[in-house]
Amino acid sequence: MKNYLSRKLLGLIFLVSPLFAMAQGEISGTVTDQNNELLPGVNIIIKGTTNGTTTDFDGNYSITAESFPATLIFSSIGFNTKEMVVNAAGKVNMTLQEGLALDEVVLTGNRSKPRTILDSPVPIDNIGVAELTSSGKPTVDRMLTFKVPSFNAQTQAISDATAHYDPADLRGLGPSRTLVLVNGKRKNQSAQVYLNRTPGKGEVGVDLKSIPTAAIERVEVLRDGASAQYGSDAIAGVINMVLKKNAKYTTVSARTGITSEGDGFNFAADMNTAFNFGDGGFINLTLGYYNQQLTNRAGSPGIADLPDDARPNEIQWATENPELGMKVGQPDLEKGDLFINLGHPLGENAELYSFHGYSTRKGRSFAYYRAPYWRRDVADSEFLTRSEDFVGYQPSFEAEIDDHINALGVKFDITDTFNADASVTYGSNSVDYTVNNSLNRDYLADKGTSPRSFSPGGYTLSNVVMNLDFANVFSEQLSSSFGIEYKKEYYEAREGNPLSYYKGGSDSFAGIKPDEAGKWNRDNLAFYAGLDYDITEDLLLGLAGRYEDFSDFGDNFSWKVFGRYKIGDKGAIRGSYSTGFRAPTLHQRYLTNSQYIIADGSPEPVLQGTLANDNQAVKDLGVPSLFAETSRNISAGFTYKINPKFSASIDFYQIYVDDRVLFSSQQGYKQDAGDVDTDNDGDVEGDELLQDVNPVEQILIDNNVVALQYFINAGDTKTTGVDFVLNYRGINMGEGKLNVSLAANVNETTIDAIETPQVLADNGYNIFTREEKGLIINSRPKSKFILGIDYDTDKFNIGLNNTLFGKVTVTAPETGGIDQELSSMLVTDLNLSYKVTDKLSFTGTINNMFDVYPDKTLATTNTAEAGGRFQYSSEVQQGGQFGANFSLGMNYRF
């Protein structure tokens, strides 16, 4: 009986297999545009499957269909998506017409199958590299600021290490709550915590400066909570940097610029090329170099800053140097980049892929100038000069930053509709500091001498992420995704040179002490799944869920439901509700350091300490161990293509974040401390005069600092806003075409609750003062409008971009002062490009052509800037504080 069944089964296989062989076949061809130009990088997908490919350098493609008839979908940025029914294997050529963003296929926001922006149930911006670079900005974070209304990043002025990173975020929710991907793989965060009084204080973001624009094909910005799909950090949304694959030409670009003040000279050069290797493989290579010089927009308080007992040399110095030696602006910077993106077929149904990025840069920012009347102990030691000749000194804060990302994976088809993606990604960011033109005042007092240069140590954050992802298209109506992710994170604080942390340490940035140095790690395991159901051609419903278990604080489950209803073939209504989370970073849990800053009640920099969340002294204050923030995200929107050239969308959102991780306000002495730190040298002298010290004061004494800060889950916030996008493209006008776009974001964040531990409350401490609250609710623009006008012909292109940054507020401290609302700031950018030949073009750009600056900070705010050293507040951000910038660029392809 068994032999009989075996023979029958074998016969059936031989009978059916020729049918499969006849049904299966290869489709190949060439894709061109309406001008018959070959199009590399076009996406081709067999409809109803996950089977896809892209065109090579010469616009050629090849794809295998498991059965016929098969429907091919052709899509590319800037072109209308087209479908073609193919009845048999053979040659199929395609011509694509320039089109609208609503027809573009995007990968972010849906893990089961690609969708067009019109089909997507969530709002996604799809920005090509040409649109990014037309802004004339030097780095991708600055480009996105002037292209995406809900995205903000500005160069920091005199913010120590923060000046070398520039915190960036979506929807004003802070750098920690925006997830960044590269080719869909998680990008590692930076090693630096933003500790100074800037937007994003106390948080950690991704080092966007480490990704060269020349390596990017496009940027997909998902403006919706996505923790249920991608995990931690995606509360505000997701930014996916899609790297270039095939390229028809080798492209070499160079650009140089300078501000209207004659400073800030910058030069950038990059090269991108691609070539085939093996049988059907590609390698895309990018090399980049960038150099910028500092700008200085310091105020000029002059002798108004002098104390009543000013010495003659101090009066003379302030008279001759009204800027008091300050350098307030962008830092010196030199950067190099190397990016490689490659892929190669493995048989007919699999592909090996890999990408590698390395960025290294050195930067120099400046601490507060140590005015001679701030450092009379140094003057009287006569170590630098005679006391009567002493003019102070300005420490420089220098950083060397290395960033890596490396990924290796295999995509393979299990069946025609079921595929898998197995990958491993390694990322690392490290920073090493050098303090120059400084000294250790305690060592000078004890030994009569001091080094002038210090190595205070540094930090490294790295992670290894392993993914196994599956996508299954059951039918044109039903598709699913599921997978598993394992991540291991490592954080290291490296000890500085002993003289950098001797007693008070090097002036400006005290070195990392042995008990502050260390290595820490954690791991987490995640499982996710999602289901999309196209109930009808118009109605889509879906859900997603993700479970994660962290070794250091526990687990979390996030979920999301979403839907979209098409209005004909031109529009759609969309909406979602999701929960999300953000895991506290290893930095926030373990960072301990000492730093000279402007502390409350002090006119000059004094030594402040940050204690780790797991420090026993912090625990004794009732501060709990950090745990995950959680969120609820509600969004609803509408998008419509009024005609082939005119489209519009509007999306509303409300995001609640509970148990937000905050960096506390400075906690100092509550009583008269006698002569504690009276000479501001970082030493606690006379602490015996303190009577009945409270727990916080005892910690200050034990750690030899005048103020204390720590991380704590303590805040509940609500962010409400709306995004609006209007595009009118391809308007025929004379010999060229006119494109007009208007995009806007309006938002507001409120703090609903701050929970203070009982020990601190009983001793009268406010763990989050009004000025700290201001950094969350008032430091980013509450609105931003971007009006872009672009006119393009065969020979030249004219682009005019107007960005209106809304009002922000400089928040006066709890100790007194008057809040100052800064008026809206309109920044106008003009970009002119001329094609000398098909291969050579030149570009001239005027950024902020009307030389607009933010309002100057008033002394009545009683903030650190009001001492006159800062004309413009570093605590709030709009369109920058560097004025107009003029640049020229050249692009050559061959």
Side-chain angles (χ1 to χ4, degrees):
M1 183 67 176
K2 289 183 179 179
N3 290 335
Y4 174 79
L5 291 176
S6 299
R7 288 195 300 273
K8 285 289 186 181
L9 181 61
L10 187 62
L12 182 63
I13 292 173
F14 276 110
L15 180 65
V16 174
S17 59
L19 298 178
F20 280 104
M22 292 174 60
Q24 190 181 54
E26 183 181 272
I27 307 169
S28 61
T30 303
V31 182
T32 58
D33 64 12
Q34 66 267 32
N35 299 318
N36 207 32
E37 289 282 332
L38 299 172
L39 291 178
V42 176
N43 296 306
I44 301 102
I45 298 172
I46 297 179
K47 189 173 183 178
T49 75
T50 58
N51 186 13
T53 187
T54 58
T55 55
D56 63 15
F57 312 104
D58 299 316
N60 298 318
Y61 75 94
S62 176
I63 192 169
T64 300
E66 295 296 329
S67 61
F68 292 97
T71 301
L72 298 187
I73 303 175
F74 297 81
S75 63
S76 183
I77 292 177
F79 293 88
N80 285 321
T81 299
K82 291 188 70 173
E83 296 186 6
M84 177 176 285
V85 177
V86 181
N87 294 310
K91 194 85 169 178
V92 176
N93 295 329
M94 173 59 66
T95 299
L96 296 182
Q97 302 291 324
E98 290 184 6
L100 291 173
L102 290 177
D103 295 318
E104 295 166 4
V105 172
V106 290
L107 306 176
T108 311
N110 188 290
R111 305 192 71 154
S112 59
K113 66 179 182 181
R115 291 187 181 272
T116 66
I117 291 179
L118 181 63
D119 286 336
S120 174
V122 292
I124 301 176
D125 299 309
N126 197 18
I127 307 168
V129 66
E131 187 176 355
L132 283 174
T133 55
S134 68
S135 68
K137 309 301 180 184
T139 56
V140 68
D141 54 335
R142 298 285 289 141
M143 294 176 186
L144 289 172
T145 296
F146 287 83
K147 291 297 180 183
V148 180
S150 58
F151 181 90
N152 283 288
Q154 296 292 344
T155 300
Q156 301 300 307
I158 198 165
S159 297
D160 291 341
T162 308
H164 302 289
Y165 283 92
D166 298 346
D169 62 37
L170 280 170
R171 293 177 165 176
L173 279 166
S176 299
R177 295 167 198 86
T178 299
L179 176 63
V180 178
L181 308 174
V182 177
N183 277 359
K185 306 301 178 183
R186 178 179 284 266
K187 179 77 175 74
N188 56 284
Q189 292 181 314
S190 73
Q192 179 63 43
V193 185
Y194 311 135
L195 296 179
N196 293 86
R197 292 195 54 76
T198 66
K201 179 181 177 181
E203 299 201 30
V204 181
V206 169
D207 183 9
L208 291 177
K209 291 182 183 293
S210 67
I211 306 173
T213 311
I216 298 172
E217 176 186 289
R218 68 183 188 274
V219 178
E220 297 178 352
V221 182
L222 167 63
R223 294 177 277 113
D224 194 50
S227 293
Q229 294 149 304
Y230 297 101
S232 178
D233 308 341
I235 288 175
V238 180
I239 297 175
N240 184 22
M241 309 281 186
V242 181
L243 302 179
K244 291 177 180 176
K245 292 183 178 180
N246 300 315
K248 186 178 179 182
Y249 301 98
T250 294
T251 303
V252 177
S253 300
R255 178 183 290 269
T256 186
I258 194 168
T259 73
S260 58
E261 296 291 326
D263 58 6
F265 176 82
N266 60 81
F267 173 77
D270 56 63
M271 181 196 73
N272 177 266
T273 189
F275 48 89
N276 295 312
F277 82 100
D279 185 10
F282 73 89
I283 295 178
N284 188 285
L285 172 66
T286 302
L287 296 172
Y289 174 80
Y290 177 65
N291 183 292
Q292 75 177 23
Q293 296 179 8
L294 62 88
T295 59
N296 191 12
R297 301 294 181 269
S300 304
I303 60 174
D305 189 64
L306 290 172
D308 293 337
D309 61 344
R311 298 174 178 179
N313 62 303
E314 296 167 351
I315 297 173
Q316 181 180 353
W317 174 79
T319 302
E320 295 175 353
N321 299 274
E323 292 184 349
L324 304 181
M326 294 289 287
K327 293 182 177 67
V328 181
Q330 72 179 18
D332 292 323
L333 175 67
E334 187 172 31
K335 181 171 77 86
D337 304 300
L338 169 64
F339 259 69
I340 299 172
N341 187 31
L342 63 91
H344 194 283
L346 298 176
E348 293 185 354
N349 299 310
E351 179 192 11
L352 172 72
Y353 65 87
S354 183
F355 61 88
H356 307 269
Y358 173 67
S359 176
T360 182
R361 67 179 183 270
K362 293 182 178 180
R364 180 183 60 155
S365 62
F366 295 88
Y368 282 74
Y369 192 96
R370 269 48 182 174
Y373 40 91
W374 283 359
R375 294 297 184 256
R376 287 178 177 171
D377 57 327
V378 179
D380 294 341
S381 73
E382 299 198 336
F383 172 65
L384 297 178
T385 64
R386 295 186 308 166
S387 177
E388 59 268 28
D389 297 328
F390 184 66
V391 294
Y393 53 94
Q394 183 172 41
S396 64
F397 191 89
E398 302 175 24
E400 183 173 345
I401 300 168
D402 292 324
D403 190 276
H404 307 254
I405 184 168
N406 304 274
L408 176 66
V410 178
K411 295 179 181 178
F412 55 96
D413 294 335
I414 299 173
T415 68
D416 184 33
T417 61
F418 187 24
N419 66 23
D421 183 343
S423 66
V424 58
T425 305
Y426 169 75
S428 173
N429 184 273
S430 66
V431 55
D432 287 286
Y433 306 122
T434 300
V435 174
N436 281 321
N437 198 37
S438 183
L439 47 78
N440 186 316
R441 296 161 65 199
D442 289 307
Y443 194 80
L444 176 63
D446 293 347
K447 308 293 185 180
T449 187
S450 172
R452 300 301 312 281
S453 180
F454 300 88
S455 298
Y459 301 97
T460 296
L461 179 79
S462 60
N463 61 31
V464 177
V465 186
M466 290 178 279
N467 293 89
L468 181 58
D469 304 310
F470 298 92
N472 192 10
V473 179
F474 298 102
S475 66
E476 288 192 21
Q477 289 75 39
L478 189 64
S479 60
S480 69
S481 61
F482 58 94
I484 183 172
E485 178 178 284
Y486 174 78
K487 180 170 64 173
K488 186 83 173 184
E489 295 177 274
Y490 304 88
Y491 179 59
E492 178 186 8
R494 290 182 293 280
E495 180 183 346
N497 180 278
L499 291 186
S500 72
Y501 58 75
Y502 178 86
K503 291 189 176 180
S506 46
D507 197 0
S508 100
F509 187 80
I512 300 172
K513 303 177 180 67
D515 58 349
E516 297 173 345
K519 296 181 180 180
W520 302 271
N521 65 77
R522 73 174 175 200
D523 59 78
N524 71 285
L525 183 65
F527 302 90
Y528 78 89
L531 188 69
D532 286 16
Y533 184 25
D534 289 275
I535 298 174
T536 67
E537 187 175 337
D538 296 329
L539 180 60
L540 162 69
L541 295 177
L543 57 88
R546 186 180 180 104
Y547 172 80
E548 297 210 27
D549 188 16
F550 286 77
S551 61
D552 58 345
F553 70 83
D555 58 1
N556 175 268
F557 178 74
S558 297
W559 56 274
K560 181 174 185 176
V561 293
F562 51 86
R564 180 228 64 221
Y565 184 77
K566 284 187 178 180
I567 304 171
D569 60 355
K570 293 185 176 181
I573 300 171
R574 58 198 179 198
S576 70
Y577 178 87
S578 63
T579 65
F581 79 105
R582 185 187 76 84
T585 67
L586 290 175
H587 328 52
Q588 292 173 325
R589 182 176 292 277
Y590 297 112
L591 178 71
T592 302
N593 75 2
S594 301
Q595 185 177 9
Y596 281 90
I597 63 172
I598 294 293
D600 292 341
S602 171
E604 62 180 87
V606 295
L607 196 62
Q608 172 261 335
T610 298
L611 291 186
N613 173 257
D614 68 343
N615 187 293
Q616 187 58 50
V618 175
K619 292 181 178 180
D620 290 344
L621 295 177
V623 176
S625 295
L626 293 181
F627 53 91
E629 304 173 353
T630 56
S631 68
R632 291 161 287 144
N633 191 313
I634 307 167
S635 68
F638 171 76
T639 183
Y640 198 77
K641 184 165 63 174
I642 299 168
N643 60 46
K645 298 180 179 180
F646 193 15
S647 66
S649 68
I650 187 169
D651 292 276
F652 300 89
Y653 60 89
Q654 191 164 81
I655 305 168
Y656 297 87
V657 182
D658 297 327
D659 301 314
R660 185 164 173 159
V661 176
L662 305 176
F663 188 44
S664 76
S665 301
Q666 297 163 3
Q667 316 282 278
Y669 290 98
K670 283 291 183 182
Q671 57 180 303
D672 182 4
D675 61 346
V676 171
D677 202 34
T678 53
D679 59 358
N680 293 297
D681 65 355
D683 287 332
V684 176
E685 312 166 65
D687 54 84
E688 70 281 356
L689 298 180
L690 283 168
Q691 301 296 321
D692 300 321
V693 296
N694 66 47
V696 171
E697 292 169 342
Q698 188 59 55
I699 294 174
L700 299 179
I701 294 169
D702 293 343
N703 288 274
N704 198 33
V705 295
V706 300
L708 165 69
Q709 292 181 276
Y710 46 83
F711 291 95
I712 180 174
N713 290 90
D716 296 342
T717 64
K718 180 177 73 174
T719 300
T720 304
V722 58
D723 293 319
F724 174 76
V725 179
L726 191 68
N727 284 314
Y728 200 177
R729 297 185 177 180
I731 308 167
N732 293 321
M733 184 173 289
E735 297 180 356
K737 291 185 177 181
L738 181 69
N739 301 313
V740 180
S741 63
L742 174 65
N745 172 262
V746 179
N747 69 85
E748 183 176 15
T749 295
T750 59
I751 298 177
D752 295 337
I754 298 291
E755 295 186 15
T756 303
Q758 195 61 47
V759 174
L760 290 159
D762 290 344
N763 286 278
Y765 282 95
N766 184 349
I767 67 166
F768 210 62
T769 57
R770 71 186 314 272
E771 59 265 39
E772 304 296 345
K773 293 177 183 177
L775 290 177
I776 291 179
I777 65 176
N778 290 324
S779 64
R780 296 287 201 192
K782 294 181 182 295
S783 65
K784 186 164 65 169
F785 293 82
I786 303 173
L787 174 62
I789 302 173
D790 181 86
Y791 182 68
D792 190 56
T793 70
D794 290 339
K795 279 293 184 181
F796 67 88
N797 174 275
I798 302 175
L800 184 67
N801 205 66
N802 291 279
T803 306
L804 179 64
F805 295 90
K807 297 177 180 179
V808 294
T809 301
V810 180
T811 306
E814 199 127 320
T815 53
I818 301 172
D819 292 351
Q820 179 188 357
E821 185 178 74
L822 306 189
S823 56
S824 300
M825 180 178 175
L826 178 63
V827 177
T828 302
D829 301 323
L830 178 65
N831 188 77
L832 302 172
S833 296
Y834 181 73
K835 297 178 183 177
V836 180
T837 67
D838 288 340
K839 296 182 179 181
L840 177 64
S841 63
F842 291 92
T843 301
T845 303
I846 308 175
N847 290 128
N848 193 0
M849 62 185 298
F850 297 115
D851 206 23
V852 178
Y853 285 86
D855 294 343
K856 292 186 177 181
T857 307
L858 300 177
T860 52
T861 61
N862 198 27
T863 61
E865 285 78 7
R869 288 170 173 76
F870 290 74
Q871 296 187 83
Y872 313 105
S873 175
S874 64
E875 299 177 14
V876 298
Q877 291 180 351
Q878 292 172 293
Q881 51 182 260
F882 307 123
N885 185 282
F886 306 91
S887 63
L888 291 172
M890 179 275 294
N891 183 284
Y892 183 71
R893 59 184 190 175
F894 56 91

